[in-house]
Amino acid sequence: MTAAREAVIEARGLVKTYGPNVAVDHVDLTVRPGEVYGFLGPNGAGKTTTLRMLLGLVRPTSGTATVLGVPAGSPSALERTGSMIEGPAFYPYLSGRDNLRFVARLAGVPAGRVDEVLETVHLADRGGDTFAQYSLGMKQRLGVAAALLKDPEVVVLDEPTNGLDPAGMRDMRALVVELGRQGRTVILSSHLMGEVQEVCDRVAVISNGRIVAESTVEELRGGTSLLVTAEPVERAVDVLVASGLPESVRRDGPDLRITAEPRDTAEIVRTLVTAGVDVTRVQRDERQLEDVFFEITDHPQGVAS
Amino acid sequence: MNATHVLDVTRAQLFALVRRPAAWTIVAALAVLNQVFSFLIPYISYRSSDPSGFDAGATPEELLRGTLPAEIVPNTLGGFPVFAGALTLAFGAILLGSEYGWGTFKTIATQRPSRMSILAGQVLTIVTAVAAIVALLFVLSAVTSTAIALGEDRSTALPSVGHLANGYLGGVLILSVWALVGGVLAVALRSVALPVGLGIVWALGIENLVSAMADSVLDALQPVRDVFPGVNAGSLVAALTPEQIGTPPPGVSDAVSGGRAVATLVAYLVVAVLAGAWFHRHRDVS
Ligand SMILES: Nc1ncnc2c1ncn2[C@@H]1O[C@H](COP(=O)(O)OP(=O)(O)OP(=O)(O)O)[C@@H](O)[C@H]1O
Ligand SMILES: [Mg+2]
């Protein structure tokens, strides 16, 4: 099978300009079946605009996008795609349940699905309240419920945890993970690193309309680093640099921070001890995606190449 | 466009519409206006036995005769060229324009129907709602006029079926034009307030002013006047109610023939639908 036939979402060279502003700048995306794909970027990076193009809400200035092998936004793509873009949008005068019935009619979905999805987002007991009476978090959950009505193969969620309290966020993340387990393909945008790290298989980082990195969360996070306390510290640096084992060594206060492959840890310690350096602490730190994110978005060119 | 999807949109929109308080407020206003101006005021004038009380041009006998079941076509359609027209324009604007204020157009546009199916469904919703509203107004007119006829011991005979059917269809055409023009203006401006404001100034102000000027100071304005929607609605009402008793209601005139009025109104419908299609197809949803 070719990659193109495998991809559930495929975007090639998507560009969207608003007057002189380039909101989305040659974005390529490939989302594979059953994947939970994160779309990470700061405010104004172009996440929502890209997702709108994947749903046919916004017409690209140039470039193409397909969903499930058909043009993005076509009825046959939409009927298998559930989405919530830039917050939930419903009629304030209708109850939550009636809003879902409205959406179900539009989508050609049996009305029986309505109560199922209300259960899924824990809104069943408040389904009779009007949308206007809902709290921010309840509105957000109703939006996700509407996205699930079609029992969709593809789920597009734009900042789904927006406005949720910690418990709501935890539930929402668990739900996204569960959607992935059920074999659905999920693409979600976020500016919360922890969220993406927790739920996504792969992540694209977008900044100023450009994809500046795309990989698995592990790859993006990169190698881990070692924090070593050694005496005398100058000699330790010399020995390590001479050995060629670590990728980099730098002073971190009284300690050393060493970037190296995990399997070289033992060899590094042995080298130091053999050279007569006293090693009093070795600690392995995992870089948080957050650090990587700021590194990338601060210096997009350096990482994109 | 896909017929199933069009009906999905229509069913969904009607489901939401009948639960919408603002829609019922407009329906109630239409019914009250109609009852007050077509029946209550003429009947009170008749009962008050002051022959010159309300309608200087009509005798008490004419006043009473004008409220009877035989007159329900002019009594129901009388307000359509101006007041009911303006209210129905607001109805169309509220129905299609709120989608932008609430952001619900993106919810609609991401379900399944294409933009053209959505537009067709919206048009069908408006025409269905208008057909139901006009039917309701006819029924209310029939009930009130029959009550008056029974109370005054007069004939309860309704007009012929053909006359009623023409009146009904003409009424649906007139209010469909107003509602669709309001709806498409709301789509174009992505707002409710602006098209309602513009529509009311147009229907109640500009059309009257230009008509008055065309009739008096500036004959050259007549061709312009003769393409106005309200003027054509008024001409169609006049053509459908040749036996008008007393002074005709505002806007009802014989500026153009009935046939030309129908053609002009249908042209407005077509232009409104094409404009709506253009906006739906070419505009981004944000
Ligand atoms: N309709 C529009 N007209 C003009 N500019 C727009 C429009 N929509 C988006 N933009 C611009 O495009 C850029 C990307 O916006 P977008 O909403 O895609 O960002 P985002 O990544 O979703 O940000 P956030 O995290 O704040 O939601 C911004 O600079 C924004 O101002
Ligand atoms: Mg956004």
Side-chain angles (χ1 to χ4, degrees):
Chain A
M1 270 206 295
T2 66
R5 269 165 68 204
E6 243 180 79
V8 170
I9 297 174
E10 178 112 80
R12 287 290 160 262
L14 279 186
V15 174
K16 183 67 187 181
T17 57
Y18 289 107
N21 299 326
V22 184
V24 173
D25 193 359
H26 292 94
V27 162
D28 295 324
L29 285 177
T30 306
V31 183
R32 302 182 196 120
E35 194 167 49
V36 178
Y37 191 92
F39 208 38
L40 192 58
N43 289 143
K47 303 180 295 293
T48 301
T49 306
T50 304
L51 296 183
R52 281 185 198 282
M53 288 192 277
L54 296 180
L55 292 166
L57 291 174
V58 161
R59 189 184 294 253
T61 307
S62 64
T64 57
T66 60
V67 174
L68 294 159
V70 291
S74 62
S76 41
L78 289 177
E79 75 181 342
R80 297 156 70 192
T81 308
S83 60
M84 180 177 68
I85 296 294
E86 207 151 64
F90 295 104
Y91 296 127
Y93 59 90
L94 286 184
S95 69
R97 183 173 284 113
D98 279 348
N99 268 300
L100 292 183
R101 287 188 179 133
F102 170 79
V103 174
R105 280 177 165 78
L106 279 172
V109 168
R113 278 288 292 163
V114 167
D115 284 315
E116 290 173 35
V117 295
L118 277 175
E119 288 286 345
T120 308
V121 299
H122 310 300
L123 269 183
D125 55 331
R126 302 295 297 273
D129 295 6
T130 63
F131 182 65
Q133 294 171 312
Y134 278 8
S135 70
L136 190 60
M138 290 161 73
K139 288 177 176 167
Q140 192 77 3
R141 271 143 59 194
L142 191 71
V144 173
L148 299 179
L149 266 179
K150 288 180 255 192
D151 196 5
E153 290 162 60
V154 181
V155 182
V156 180
L157 299 172
D158 189 19
E159 302 197 21
T161 53
N162 220 354
L164 297 183
D165 60 17
M169 281 199 182
R170 192 194 55 217
D171 288 352
M172 185 65 67
R173 287 172 191 162
L175 176 63
V176 169
V177 170
E178 177 60 24
L179 292 175
R181 270 203 208 108
Q182 293 166 352
R184 299 179 215 264
T185 308
V186 182
I187 178 166
L188 70 89
S189 78
S190 179
H191 53 254
L192 300 174
M193 273 55 65
E195 178 164 294
V196 168
Q197 189 159 359
E198 210 174 298
V199 305
C200 296
D201 304 316
R202 278 198 312 143
V203 51
V205 179
I206 184 168
S207 174
N208 290 317
R210 282 191 217 164
I211 303 275
V212 290
E214 187 197 32
S215 64
T216 64
V217 171
E218 288 71 29
E219 278 170 13
L220 200 60
R221 203 194 281 139
T224 54
S225 68
L226 283 178
L227 193 66
V228 173
T229 311
E231 198 59 46
V233 69
E234 289 81 10
R235 176 148 176 75
V237 172
D238 293 343
V239 168
L240 287 172
V241 170
S243 75
L245 281 169
E247 283 167 35
S248 72
V249 180
R250 66 187 165 84
R251 301 279 292 268
D252 186 353
D255 308 317
L256 291 176
R257 189 163 288 277
I258 301 167
T259 310
E261 293 292 323
R263 61 172 179 276
D264 290 334
T265 309
E267 188 59 33
I268 285 169
V269 175
R270 191 175 305 125
T271 306
L272 285 173
V273 172
T274 313
V277 177
D278 290 340
V279 178
T280 53
R281 178 170 68 151
V282 179
Q283 181 186 327
R284 182 158 283 283
D285 282 344
E286 281 196 290
R287 282 210 302 171
Q288 292 299 300
L289 200 50
E290 187 132 16
D291 306 327
V292 182
F293 177 74
F294 283 120
E295 232 169 76
I296 291 173
T297 52
D298 284 348
H299 318 281
Q301 273 68 34
V303 180
S305 53
Chain B
M1 218 193 301
N2 172 311
T4 309
H5 298 180
V6 173
L7 290 179
D8 287 343
V9 174
T10 310
R11 283 175 57 239
Q13 296 260 299
L14 287 173
F15 172 87
L17 183 62
V18 297
R19 286 164 178 76
R20 185 158 182 187
W24 289 107
T25 307
I26 291 182
V27 172
L30 284 168
V32 169
L33 272 180
N34 177 245
Q35 293 286 307
V36 168
F37 287 103
S38 295
F39 301 104
L40 191 62
I41 292 177
Y43 187 65
I44 288 174
S45 308
Y46 161 74
R47 296 294 290 187
S48 68
S49 74
D50 174 3
S52 57
F54 165 70
D55 198 333
T59 65
E61 168 60 20
E62 282 175 335
L63 282 172
L64 178 62
R65 205 151 57 76
T67 63
L68 294 180
E71 295 300 316
I72 69 166
V73 174
N75 279 334
T76 308
L77 301 186
F80 283 20
V82 181
F83 297 106
L87 275 171
T88 315
L89 183 138
F91 181 82
I94 285 175
L95 182 57
L96 299 197
S98 331
E99 312 289 11
Y100 302 93
W102 291 327
T104 37
F105 194 72
K106 78 181 171 206
T107 305
I108 296 173
T110 48
Q111 296 316 317
R112 181 170 70 174
S114 68
R115 301 290 170 78
M116 290 306 100
S117 296
I118 292 170
L119 180 77
Q122 288 175 322
V123 171
L124 207 54
T125 303
I126 285 182
V127 174
T128 307
V130 164
I133 290 170
V134 176
L136 175 73
L137 295 177
F138 265 99
V139 168
L140 291 177
S141 290
V143 169
T144 309
S145 58
T146 303
I148 292 173
L150 290 174
E152 297 293 330
D153 212 11
R154 296 297 182 104
S155 162
T156 56
L158 288 167
S160 71
V161 171
H163 191 182
L164 274 177
N166 280 339
Y168 175 72
L169 292 176
V172 171
L173 175 62
I174 291 168
L175 291 195
S176 294
V177 169
W178 283 116
L180 276 173
V181 167
V184 169
L185 275 177
V187 169
L189 300 167
R190 284 187 270 217
S191 134
V192 176
L194 208 48
V196 169
L198 291 175
I200 285 172
V201 168
W202 179 266
L204 304 185
I206 295 174
E207 285 216 9
N208 275 331
L209 187 66
V210 173
S211 297
M213 281 162 58
D215 284 342
S216 53
V217 292
L218 195 57
D219 284 358
L221 277 177
Q222 281 184 7
V224 177
R225 174 200 67 184
D226 291 350
V227 298
F228 284 176
V231 169
N232 281 276
S235 301
L236 178 56
V237 172
L240 289 168
T241 59
E243 75 292 17
Q244 186 75 47
I245 296 168
T247 331
V252 175
S253 74
D254 54 359
V256 302
S257 72
R260 172 162 167 193
V262 169
T264 310
L265 291 171
V266 169
Y268 272 104
L269 278 187
V270 171
V271 169
V273 171
L274 290 178
W278 190 89
F279 285 116
H280 272 356
R281 189 186 287 279
H282 292 283
R283 281 245 191 98
D284 285 349
V285 181
S286 50

